């Protein structure tokens, strides 16, 4: 067949016409695998900025006994605790999601059902660990 | 292909491998630090300083920081290419963010130097 397309259309016009566009985010329900993907990105970006605080605190605390005492006092306050719990929680999610990615690299959990189940397990595990981290660090 | 490999331009395979290679180092460093915080009964200034005074830990810490720099170079690029469409703005953001990532390594190097 020389021309598969109806006359009067070109290929690009047909592709355009067949694509429904729905970008109203509040009407889309995200599957667990999508939530897992977004969380991996959010926690990664959040940690990048949290490192400003982490590396500063580390640099000050190893530099002198006075610096160590200052950081210790800061970590005992509300702001220090919130930043610490948030950062460790983000790291925990990112590592769990990373391990899931590694397992998927090896060819497992790549189907719709197993991929969503592993995402749910990772998110569930993260919530449990975050509560544990919160209890320990507060 | 030869010119591809010889140039400083990245490709997908290289990014894929680098992301995972650096992730392993960062994860190991995180696990080690977690273990240190859990297993050390009382963390004083002396204990804390002693931890980073050993040559092995200096190398491990610097490797982790360089891994972070390489990891975020790829990761933040992935995020930015998806959400920031204007090329000029994206390039500027990448420039600043990569500079911050380099600063992390530089600060780490000088701190480790002084411990």
């Amino acid at each position: 067949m020389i021309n598969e397309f109806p006359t009067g259309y070109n290929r690009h016009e047909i592709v355009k016409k067949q694509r429904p566009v729905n970008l109203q985010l509040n009407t889309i329900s995200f599957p667990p695998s999508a939530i897992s993907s977004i969380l991996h990105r959010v926690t990664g970006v959040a940690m990048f900025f949290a490192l400003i605080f982490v590396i500063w605190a580390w640099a000050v605390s190893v530099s002198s006994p006075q610096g160590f005492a200052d950081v210790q006092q800061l970590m005992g306050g509300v702001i220090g605790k919130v930043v610490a719990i948030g950062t460790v929680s983000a790291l925990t999610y990112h590592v769990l999601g990373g391990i899931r990615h590694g397992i998927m690299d090896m060819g497992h959990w790549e189907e719709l059902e197993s991929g969503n189940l592993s995402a749910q397990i990772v998110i569930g595990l993260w919530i449990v660990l975050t509560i544990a981290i919160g209890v320990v660090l507060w | 292909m030869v010119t591809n490999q010889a140039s400083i331009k990245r490709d997908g395979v290289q990014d894929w491998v680098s992301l995972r290679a650096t992730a392993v180092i960062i994860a190991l460093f995180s696990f080690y630090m977690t273990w240190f915080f859990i297993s050390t009964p009382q963390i004083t200034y002396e204990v804390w300083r002693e931890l980073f005074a050993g040559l092995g830990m200096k190398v491990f810490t610097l490797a982790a920081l360089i891994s972070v720099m390489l990891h975020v170079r790829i990761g933040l690029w992935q995020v930015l290419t998806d959400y920031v469409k204007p090329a000029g703005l994206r390039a500027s953001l990448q420039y600043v963010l990569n500079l911050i990532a380099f600063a992390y390594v530089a600060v780490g190097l000088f701190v480790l130097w002084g411990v």
Side-chain angles (χ1 to χ4, degrees), chain A residues 53-54 56-58 61 67-85 87-88 137-138, chain B residues 37:
Chain A
F53 177 80
V54 172
W56 170 82
W58 169 67
S61 64
F68 185 85
D70 290 345
V71 171
Q72 208 169 28
Q73 198 192 2
L74 185 68
M75 297 311 286
V78 175
I79 296 170
K81 281 175 180 173
V82 168
V83 172
I85 293 168
T87 305
V88 177
L137 289 182
W138 194 262
Chain B
F37 281 118

Side-chain angles (χ1 to χ4, degrees), chain A residues 33 110-117:
Chain A
S33 52
E110 286 180 319
E111 289 71 37
L112 205 54
E113 211 172 300
S114 60
N116 279 330
L117 181 66

